[in-house]
Amino acid sequence: MNVSTNQLLHYTLQIADNALINGHRLSEWCGHGPVLEQDIALSNIALDHLGQARSLYQYAADQFNSFDTEQKLGLFASPALEQKIQAGELLDEDDLAYLRDGWDFRNVLLVEQPNNDWAYTVARSFFFDTYNFFFFSALQQSKDETLAAIAAKSLKEVSYHLKWSSEWIIRLGDGTEESKMRIQKAINDYWMFTGELTTANETDRSMNESGVGVDLNAIAHNWKERVTAVFREATLTMPAETWMQEGGKKGVHTEYLGYILAEMQFMQRAYPNMEW
Amino acid sequence: MRVSEENIYNWLSTVSDPEVPVLTILDLGIVRTVEVHNDDEVTITITPTYSGCPAMDLIAMNIRMALMSRGIKKVNIENRLSPAWTTDWMTEEGKKKLKEYGIAPPIRKTTDSIGLFEEDKVPCPRCGSEDTTLTSQFGATSCKALYRCNSCLEPFEHFKCH
């Protein structure tokens, strides 16, 4: 079995899973935004993430379908997907989104955390958008042409997202006593999920070495610098160094992911292969 | 009848953007290449606008319908991601049509980039005033931002420089 082709598939899925789960979380605001413009903004941003996830899942499916039979088996631990693979069927983007179980998802814990209130949603978005901005900036230079193309396209969209969430951090932080207290609390509570964004797993390391992936140490540096600058502008306090939670990139998730998947995958699981 | 590339482009000019019907897909600059293999088969390469734009699937279907109704039996549509679509590819004609339709067209080349926290000064498509305010970076479709004119007080949409 070719280890590096496997790693490229895992790498693609890792990026796709972040986009899908983050997009799904943001889509939960649709129809519930505090004002119409912000409801529309979040729906737009959610749609961008979903679009990016689709491109990435299509690419992952193409990679998978080009594997030989032996290489295809045992890559996933999800019975519904494995059944399809064993029947010799080709996979598509929907199979990867809807037929994998939680332990096969490789998104970071941060993006599956609940929306709670506006402050928590803004804090989570800001942390992820900052990472995404530097991540896609670097991935544009990937030796893998498809990933580089998806990155260049996504970066344009992510720039809007980062602008939006940075402005909200500043507006809430440098706003009223109440808004400042609430955004600071959200930042402090979600801080422990930020370390995982730039902690490399085996896939990250091997893809960085082969020039396909990015150097997460460099991203960590840029991330910290940008977050510090925006917090200063927002008169917010940088949380103290703390224990960082990890697990998502290994498939060990918080309980929240299960609920997201239950809602998102219900139709495909209840009515296999349905289309609309 | 011999089908030429020019025929195909003429037929493609009847396919409009379902979200902004005043623009054709040629105005938008999403058609990258047209290849005529023989009278029965053509390949159209298109570049998607925004990753999540729901209009793209419909556009692909409309291209197929437009060409099939003219007798092309096999229409292949290929997606090309790189280089990424940009409003720099929008035609001058397209920008003019947008403005007449009441949507402020992209006002600069994306190669002249502005800072992350800077905003475009977009003139009002109705009264021409430059005294306008951005109300939201996100509008009814991925490609548009919301503005308000401080002179005529009308809200308007701006096709973002992307």
Side-chain angles (χ1 to χ4, degrees), chain A residues 84-235:
Chain A
K84 208 160 184 170
I85 294 166
Q86 279 174 8
E89 288 180 50
L90 295 179
L91 300 188
D92 65 16
E93 49 179 315
D94 286 344
D95 297 322
L96 292 170
Y98 295 132
L99 299 184
R100 283 181 305 145
D101 296 319
W103 42 77
D104 274 335
F105 274 77
R106 292 291 182 272
N107 60 278
V108 290
L109 299 178
L110 176 71
V111 295
E112 67 200 39
Q113 297 310 304
N115 288 331
N116 290 348
D117 63 13
W118 190 249
Y120 279 84
T121 302
V122 165
R124 189 192 61 217
S125 294
F126 174 62
F127 292 147
F128 184 65
D129 296 344
T130 308
Y131 161 79
N132 239 3
F133 179 77
F134 292 114
F135 175 76
F136 282 128
S137 299
L139 194 67
Q140 289 183 102
Q141 314 301 326
S142 172
K143 278 187 184 164
D144 184 280
E145 276 177 25
T146 309
L147 284 184
I150 294 173
K153 183 157 194 59
S154 304
L155 181 62
K156 289 176 152 212
E157 294 153 3
V158 168
S159 303
Y160 296 122
H161 307 166
L162 178 57
K163 188 167 188 240
W164 178 88
S165 54
S166 302
E167 283 174 355
W168 269 104
I169 290 279
I170 296 166
R171 186 170 296 136
L172 296 178
D174 196 16
T176 65
E177 209 174 301
E178 172 84 8
S179 72
K180 182 172 190 160
M181 184 266 289
R182 291 175 74 153
I183 189 68
Q184 185 72 59
K185 187 175 185 311
I187 284 167
N188 294 348
D189 282 359
Y190 279 171
W191 187 252
M192 64 178 167
F193 297 110
T194 58
E196 190 183 24
L197 287 166
T198 50
T199 304
N201 61 11
E202 196 196 325
T203 304
D204 291 318
R205 273 189 293 274
S206 97
M207 287 292 99
N208 181 34
E209 277 160 24
S210 61
V212 169
V214 309
D215 174 12
L216 286 179
N217 287 327
I219 309 260
H221 175 81
N222 290 334
W223 187 90
K224 189 85 179 276
E225 204 174 71
R226 174 62 68 90
V227 168
T228 308
V230 173
F231 280 4
R232 194 181 304 126
E233 173 100 22
T235 70

Side-chain angles (χ1 to χ4, degrees), chain A residues 31-68:
Chain A
H32 302 277
V35 289
L36 183 63
E37 284 80 1
Q38 295 310 321
D39 194 296
I40 292 171
L42 280 184
S43 304
N44 265 282
I45 295 172
L47 200 56
D48 284 341
H49 287 296
L50 212 62
Q52 292 163 12
R54 284 191 62 187
S55 299
L56 290 158
Y57 284 130
Q58 281 161 9
Y59 181 42
D62 289 345
Q63 290 174 42
F64 183 86
N65 291 336
S66 72
F67 290 176
D68 54 44

